[in-house]
Amino acid sequence: MPEDTVHADTPAEARIAAARGSRNDHTRRRNLSSLLTAVHYGGPLTRAQLTRDTGLNRSTIGGLVAELSELGLVVEDAAAETGTVGRPSHIVRPRRDVVALALHADVDALELGAVGIDGAVLARRRANLDAPPTPDDAAAFSWEAAREVAAELGGVRAAGIGAAVPGLVGIDGATVVDAPHLGWRDVALGERLRGALGIPVVVGNDANMGLRAEWSFGAAKGVDTVVYLNGSASGIGGAALVGGRMLRGGRGYGGEFGHMMIRSDGDRCSCGRRGCLETEVNAALLDEAAHDAAALDRFAEVLAAAIANLECAFDPDAVLLAGYLGALFDVRRELVTDQVRAMAFRPDAEDVVIARAALGGNRLLIGAAERAFAPLLRDPAGTALAALA
Amino acid sequence: MPEDTVHADTPAEARIAAARGSRNDHTRRRNLSSLLTAVHYGGPLTRAQLTRDTGLNRSTIGGLVAELSELGLVVEDAAAETGTVGRPSHIVRPRRDVVALALHADVDALELGAVGIDGAVLARRRANLDAPPTPDDAAAFSWEAAREVAAELGGVRAAGIGAAVPGLVGIDGATVVDAPHLGWRDVALGERLRGALGIPVVVGNDANMGLRAEWSFGAAKGVDTVVYLNGSASGIGGAALVGGRMLRGGRGYGGEFGHMMIRSDGDRCSCGRRGCLETEVNAALLDEAAHDAAALDRFAEVLAAAIANLECAFDPDAVLLAGYLGALFDVRRELVTDQVRAMAFRPDAEDVVIARAALGGNRLLIGAAERAFAPLLRDPAGTALAALA
DNA sequence: GATAAAATGTTCCGGGAGAGAACATATACC
DNA sequence: GGTATATGTTCTCTCCCGGAACATTTTATC
């Protein structure tokens, strides 16, 4: 074997899963997780539906729902009118007072929201800024805004806080490795927020969280394989969902499609290379060309080339466009679609749906909250909630 | 929401996993799977090691190993000398008479092998061809070669057969959608082989199976996130392992990095686009330039650009090069490595290992067999083996 | 060479978890 | 109002793992 053969210190995920033995109580945990996850994504569901969806026995579902109810995570309503024969089934719904906080740190604003476990944004605070925020600004704002939001909502319990940042975030979900537009390098934002708020923190790249939101409640709800491109003031962010899992990468830097080379003789990019997607189509260029049809056509073609390349690599079920790329797509929908299909080299290219993202201004808050909810969804009985005074 | 919002008919994998309830016997299945998987990847292991690795109780391991032994999947040897104090632990090893067949259909040859569950290629048959094989050729050869191999080995039991094909294979793992170099389109190879051999069949893209082999037993053993590029007579095949899972894509066509655009003003490719990696570096060009140092440098730079683009998208732990790309890398190792690092825009670029694939001529047979073994590894007690006369 | 210590195999019992049967309950339909 | 249908509830059974107690086998020590 070559000397530079790679061997993992820790076995790959698949092997960990294989290696870890399964004990009897794992079954319970998993089933509790199944139910909470089901009502999280699917909204209020009857116990009968849960029985069918999970394949578990009625009696088991009864016990599980009772436990989730005792944990204060769901409530059971009496059945509404069903329209069908037979005893009506209880309706299980996630409790709205179980929330996650979500912070979005952007170049020109800080925003914090409280998101219910049903995915609804319940309250929000925003601070518009003249200069990019420092990590201290972010922590101070979070503390203040969290207090206000908690007061507004009154007696909610939080699973944690998710923070969306325009930049590279380490695989640890805590360190902002490089956020050039904020001027942050190697910032331990996780620790900072944890210190300020005293609840679990998870930090992530904004594009990743945007896609997560769209996958959970938006235009790509439940789709297995999705490529996502977001155009914003801080460049083009990318993310991908592969087989139902977020593409993370070895260090957490996966999905940086903004620096995909799209024109080998293009302009020099801030990253040092030439013809990156982000230098070929960006906010400034689009603003300049707002009423220049030919220029818009050109940009649309560049976007189409990028999408074609990504389809090549990922063979996605859907490609989602957000921010100014979504706007560009809206005015050049046919051109983009046709170009992508013309450039696709594989069969069934027309199966790939290209669409604009759906969730608008709530997207990042929802996505960040989703990540904060994740541990609770994985282990409902073993994850503590913090009372938010 | 936009009209073209995508909604999956079947929920994404993560949601299926969440939705499917877990029953008590799943625990047993999972633990049997853990043990068989452990000895499959890790070779002979003592029961004590299995106890430590899985975290299960001694007594439980005893019962599980006994069941695997009764199923004829593993044998227990008396302990060798241990050198440590205490009663020596039994050694559990996978039984070599449990095999998978593997077929590689290439433009100029058909090859079939029998691979033990320990990953060793036990026997093989090869037929060199003047013209690309037809599906009938492949089926007839497989039948004949399987008989010979079975006779040579005497009384083995097969989990199934995996077939590696240079082309697009549908997500069903049975249909060759398009293999241009073989001239196959929409060929139900799975059915054909199943009819000929009467054992379970799984068909896959050759690059995918190559990467699987390298991940299981080769240069990327156990690494979580890997990008793989293979140069062969039938072009450049690509594959990626993302978070320990093979990148499949929505239709099964993921990882076609050979058609990634690398020079926007490049030559026209057979796929209709310009400047695909596969047209910029290929076997014919390399042969021509075999002794032209400047040309080799150019090719190395093209390869580096491709790798940089892929690192951007995937942030892999390792990049593996096989076939003529591996050979090119061997003679221009430093140039490729330096160029990739110069073009990488993110921190820690030097963490990414670029290496040549390790398994040589056994790679595809091992990878195809791995896929055939997968169902058995997932559910040792519930998967039947076929006696190979 | 006998004894102690250490590590592992083996056996048996107990507890947790879901399946399923039997019964109870609530609705629609006739 | 009675019946069919669907669901909730309760109880028992089985499966599976953990853990304790004991047996076995090796090394270390006197």
Side-chain angles (χ1 to χ4, degrees):
Chain A
M1 274 193 285
E3 66 201 15
D4 47 6
T5 289
V6 199
H7 281 283
D9 299 341
T10 56
E13 236 179 271
R15 290 187 188 175
I16 291 183
R20 296 309 314 170
S22 206
R23 285 177 291 192
N24 225 330
D25 49 322
H26 289 40
T27 303
R28 184 70 170 189
R29 184 188 309 179
R30 190 189 171 90
N31 285 340
L32 287 172
S33 167
S34 292
L35 293 198
L36 190 59
T37 304
V39 296
H40 171 65
Y41 289 122
L45 292 170
T46 64
R47 273 163 63 167
Q49 281 172 300
L50 290 171
T51 303
R52 278 187 293 270
D53 290 353
T54 59
L56 296 172
N57 194 281
R58 288 208 296 272
S59 56
T60 308
I61 294 289
L64 290 166
V65 170
E67 185 166 349
L68 287 177
S69 184
E70 277 167 32
L71 289 166
L73 298 173
V74 304
V75 286
E76 280 193 286
D77 292 353
E81 290 105 52
T82 60
T84 63
V85 67
R87 177 176 179 174
S89 188
H90 298 174
I91 293 177
V92 182
R93 64 177 78 244
R95 277 179 64 161
R96 272 215 164 170
D97 60 343
V98 176
V99 305
L101 299 181
L103 171 70
H104 177 207
D106 209 349
V107 257
D108 57 354
L110 286 166
E111 188 162 34
L112 181 138
V115 183
I117 196 173
D118 58 352
V121 178
L122 303 173
R124 61 202 308 164
R125 289 293 183 279
R126 187 184 169 91
N128 292 311
L129 307 172
D130 298 325
T134 65
D136 283 337
D137 293 342
F141 169 79
S142 298
W143 184 80
E144 182 72 25
R147 274 189 29 159
E148 291 180 22
V149 158
E152 179 182 334
L153 296 176
V156 293
R157 291 165 300 148
I161 180 169
V165 176
L168 298 179
V169 176
I171 194 82
D172 60 357
T175 312
V176 179
V177 176
D178 190 16
H181 294 84
L182 298 178
W184 295 7
R185 276 189 85 97
D186 291 317
V187 172
L189 186 62
E191 254 177 63
R192 286 290 231 307
L193 291 177
R194 169 97 210 179
L197 297 170
I199 58 177
V201 183
V202 59
V203 184
N205 171 272
D206 54 352
N208 272 279
M209 287 178 163
L211 173 53
R212 182 175 289 262
E214 294 289 338
W215 179 77
S216 295
F217 300 110
K221 188 161 178 160
V223 178
D224 236 346
T225 305
V226 187
V227 165
Y228 175 86
L229 287 171
N230 177 59
S232 77
S234 31
I236 291 182
L241 200 84
V242 173
R245 291 183 168 202
M246 197 64 67
L247 172 72
R248 306 281 294 272
R251 276 147 297 276
Y253 312 154
E256 284 292 334
F257 306 135
H259 294 277
M260 182 170 48
M261 194 271 291
I262 227 65
R263 233 182 68 201
S264 39
D265 56 346
D267 295 330
R268 182 144 324 257
C269 173
S270 62
C271 75
R273 298 199 277 169
R274 288 189 174 281
C276 292
L277 173 61
E278 177 168 315
T279 52
E280 299 295 313
V281 190
N282 59 46
L285 287 176
L286 271 178
D287 278 350
E288 273 176 41
H291 300 290
D292 178 349
L296 287 179
D297 286 354
R298 255 198 335 273
F299 291 134
E301 283 174 19
V302 171
L303 176 59
I307 294 175
N309 250 358
L310 289 168
E311 287 192 358
C312 218
F314 289 97
D315 182 27
D317 296 312
V319 177
L320 280 193
L321 301 171
Y324 64 74
L325 292 179
L328 173 60
F329 178 65
D330 257 5
V331 297
R332 287 294 183 279
R333 189 172 286 241
E334 277 189 38
L335 180 57
V336 171
T337 308
D338 292 349
Q339 283 278 318
V340 169
R341 290 192 184 158
M343 280 190 277
F345 83 102
R346 67 182 103 222
D348 314 324
E350 61 281 357
D351 287 0
V352 180
V353 178
I354 306 175
R356 189 172 184 178
L359 297 172
N362 284 333
R363 188 182 310 125
L364 289 187
L365 295 183
I366 294 175
E370 279 290 291
R371 286 210 52 189
F373 277 128
L376 179 67
L377 292 174
R378 254 199 307 277
D379 184 9
T383 306
L385 296 175
L388 230 57
Chain B
M1 275 193 285
E3 66 200 12
D4 47 5
T5 289
V6 198
H7 281 283
D9 299 341
T10 55
E13 237 181 90
R15 291 188 186 173
I16 290 183
R20 296 309 313 172
S22 207
R23 286 178 291 191
N24 226 329
D25 49 325
H26 288 42
T27 304
R28 185 70 170 188
R29 184 188 310 179
R30 192 190 169 90
N31 286 341
L32 287 172
S33 168
S34 293
L35 294 198
L36 190 58
T37 304
V39 295
H40 171 64
Y41 289 122
L45 292 169
T46 65
R47 273 162 65 165
Q49 281 172 298
L50 290 171
T51 303
R52 278 188 292 269
D53 290 352
T54 59
L56 297 172
N57 192 280
R58 289 209 293 272
S59 56
T60 308
I61 294 290
L64 290 166
V65 170
E67 184 166 350
L68 287 178
S69 184
E70 277 166 33
L71 289 165
L73 298 173
V74 303
V75 286
E76 280 191 286
D77 291 353
E81 291 103 52
T82 61
T84 63
V85 66
R87 175 176 179 173
S89 189
H90 297 175
I91 293 177
V92 182
R93 64 177 78 244
R95 277 179 64 161
R96 271 215 164 168
D97 59 341
V98 175
V99 304
L101 299 182
L103 172 70
H104 176 206
D106 209 349
V107 259
D108 58 353
L110 288 165
E111 188 163 33
L112 181 138
V115 183
I117 196 172
D118 59 352
V121 177
L122 303 174
R124 61 203 307 166
R125 290 293 181 280
R126 186 182 169 92
N128 292 311
L129 307 172
D130 297 325
T134 66
D136 283 337
D137 292 342
F141 169 79
S142 298
W143 185 80
E144 183 71 25
R147 272 190 30 161
E148 291 181 22
V149 158
E152 179 181 334
L153 297 176
V156 294
R157 291 166 298 147
I161 180 169
V165 175
L168 299 178
V169 176
I171 194 83
D172 60 358
T175 311
V176 178
V177 176
D178 190 14
H181 293 83
L182 298 179
W184 296 6
R185 276 189 86 98
D186 291 318
V187 172
L189 185 63
E191 254 177 63
R192 287 288 231 310
L193 291 177
R194 169 99 209 175
L197 297 170
I199 58 177
V201 183
V202 58
V203 183
N205 171 274
D206 55 352
N208 273 277
M209 288 179 164
L211 173 53
R212 180 176 291 262
E214 294 290 337
W215 180 76
S216 296
F217 301 109
K221 188 162 178 157
V223 178
D224 237 348
T225 305
V226 186
V227 166
Y228 174 87
L229 287 171
N230 177 59
S232 77
S234 30
I236 292 182
L241 200 85
V242 173
R245 292 184 169 201
M246 197 62 68
L247 172 73
R248 306 282 294 272
R251 275 148 298 276
Y253 311 154
E256 284 293 334
F257 306 136
H259 295 276
M260 182 172 46
M261 195 271 290
I262 227 67
R263 233 182 70 203
S264 39
D265 57 346
D267 295 329
R268 189 157 300 275
C269 173
S270 62
C271 75
R273 299 199 276 168
R274 284 189 176 283
C276 293
L277 174 61
E278 178 168 314
T279 53
E280 298 295 314
V281 191
N282 59 47
L285 286 176
L286 272 178
D287 278 349
E288 273 176 42
H291 300 291
D292 178 350
L296 287 179
D297 286 354
R298 255 199 335 275
F299 291 135
E301 282 174 20
V302 171
L303 176 59
I307 293 175
N309 250 359
L310 288 169
E311 286 192 0
C312 217
F314 289 97
D315 182 28
D317 296 312
V319 177
L320 281 194
L321 301 171
Y324 65 72
L325 292 178
L328 174 61
F329 178 65
D330 255 6
V331 296
R332 287 293 183 280
R333 188 171 288 242
E334 277 189 36
L335 179 57
V336 172
T337 308
D338 292 348
Q339 283 278 318
V340 168
R341 288 190 186 158
M343 281 191 276
F345 82 102
R346 68 182 102 220
D348 314 324
E350 61 281 357
D351 287 359
V352 180
V353 177
I354 307 175
R356 190 173 183 178
L359 296 172
N362 284 334
R363 188 183 308 126
L364 290 186
L365 294 183
I366 293 175
E370 280 290 290
R371 285 210 51 191
F373 276 127
L376 178 67
L377 292 174
R378 254 198 308 276
D379 183 10
T383 305
L385 296 176
L388 230 56

